[in-house]
Amino acid sequence: MPENKQPARFLGFDFGEKRIGVATGQQTMGTTQALCVLKAENNQPNWQQVENLIKEWQVEAFVVGLPLNMDGTEQPVTQMAKKFAKRLHGRFGLPTFTHDERLSTAEVREYLFELGGYKKIKDSDFDAYAAELILKSYFESEQ
């Protein structure tokens, strides 16, 4: 990617110790889409699955949700999310950003209700929708 070119296609991650939600988005169009939830062991996904998603969606950058307390202070999982972001960058060499995800859980519930209610969404997909909202929020903050 040329130095002056902004990344257009992103993967967004809602990091969790056992599950990592993944979404994709196009920053120039402002579009996002929940993709999947990856199982995590020892706070890490199957990196081959991540690589497959990067290739499939032609990703140019990552956004990792940063779980903070409501007062903005860090919690134990905040450091794990930062470490995950560093691992992503180290493995794949793509620009990696973190983004405050403090309200994502409440927003996901609201968003899923708009999509037709919780009954239509499996619990296992919840983290993917959280990743989508993190990405959407990141795009809005960058405009």
Side-chain angles (χ1 to χ4, degrees):
M1 184 166 51
E3 276 186 43
N4 59 351
K5 182 180 180 269
Q6 292 294 98
R9 172 65 69 179
F10 285 74
L11 275 185
F13 296 91
D14 178 37
F15 175 82
E17 294 176 68
K18 299 205 181 334
R19 292 184 318 274
I20 301 170
V22 186
T24 188
Q26 179 81 23
Q27 188 169 24
T28 49
M29 305 290 280
T31 56
T32 57
Q33 175 186 342
L35 291 180
C36 62
V37 177
L38 304 174
K39 285 190 184 339
E41 286 187 35
N42 299 321
N43 305 324
Q44 295 188 60
N46 173 324
W47 292 108
Q48 186 59 54
Q49 289 176 316
V50 176
E51 186 172 337
N52 293 345
L53 289 167
I54 293 167
K55 288 177 182 171
E56 179 181 350
W57 293 97
Q58 300 174 356
V59 172
E60 299 171 329
F62 306 118
V63 174
V64 176
L66 206 54
L68 299 167
N69 292 314
M70 288 310 287
D71 65 1
T73 59
E74 294 190 358
Q75 49 186 305
V77 74
T78 308
Q79 287 304 315
M80 290 184 244
K82 286 180 175 181
K83 193 171 187 176
F84 173 71
K86 284 182 181 156
R87 284 179 174 146
L88 272 173
H89 178 70
R91 275 184 181 266
F92 303 108
L94 296 175
T96 304
F97 308 94
T98 56
H99 186 70
D100 182 354
E101 66 164 56
R102 272 181 276 188
L103 296 175
S104 66
T105 301
E107 289 173 358
V108 168
R109 293 188 200 290
E110 209 173 285
Y111 181 57
L112 294 180
F113 188 75
E114 288 171 18
L115 292 178
Y118 307 115
K119 303 244 186 289
K120 291 189 176 188
I121 306 299
K122 295 187 300 218
D123 284 345
S124 58
D125 295 335
F126 187 87
D127 298 305
Y129 286 99
E132 180 182 5
L133 286 180
I134 289 165
L135 204 49
K136 198 178 288 245
S137 174
Y138 174 79
F139 289 165
E140 289 168 1
S141 74
E142 292 296 301
Q143 288 180 350

